[in-house]
């Protein structure tokens, strides 16, 4: 569908989809990599991998959101 054929209400729907998707990417990344870090902490009896996993998940989730919606 070309830009001339798009209706204004479809543009608002795309924006709303992006506004729900970006936080979802960030939360899912933190949950997945934070969970993996928590499991590594329990397995290796350490306490460094959980915070590293949370930060890594946030960064990777932000990168995925940028790749999908930042262009």
């Amino acid at each position: 569908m070309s830009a001339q054929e798009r209706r204004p209400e479809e543009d608002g729907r795309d924006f709303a989809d992006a506004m729900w998707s970006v936080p979802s990417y960030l939360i899912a990344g933190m949950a997945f990599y934070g969970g993996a870090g928590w499991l590594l902490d329990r397995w290796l009896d350490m306490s460094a991998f959980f915070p590293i996993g949370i930060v890594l998940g946030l960064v990777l989730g932000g990168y995925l959101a940028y790749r999908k919606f930042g262009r």
Side-chain angles (χ1 to χ4, degrees):
M1 187 180 271
S2 70
Q4 296 171 348
E5 296 173 0
R6 295 190 89 175
R7 296 189 306 242
E9 60 269 6
E10 289 178 357
D11 290 335
R13 197 171 310 137
D14 290 341
F15 179 73
D17 289 344
M19 291 305 293
W20 281 104
S21 296
V22 170
S24 298
Y25 276 108
L26 297 175
I27 291 170
M30 288 175 23
F32 180 77
Y33 286 103
W38 180 79
L39 288 173
L40 277 173
D41 281 344
R42 296 293 173 190
W43 184 47
L44 299 174
D45 198 27
M46 296 178 69
S47 62
F49 290 110
F50 177 67
I52 291 170
I54 293 288
V55 172
L56 182 65
L58 185 63
V59 169
L60 291 176
Y63 174 72
L64 287 175
Y66 171 75
R67 291 283 298 183
K68 184 166 185 173
F69 300 109
R71 292 180 177 199

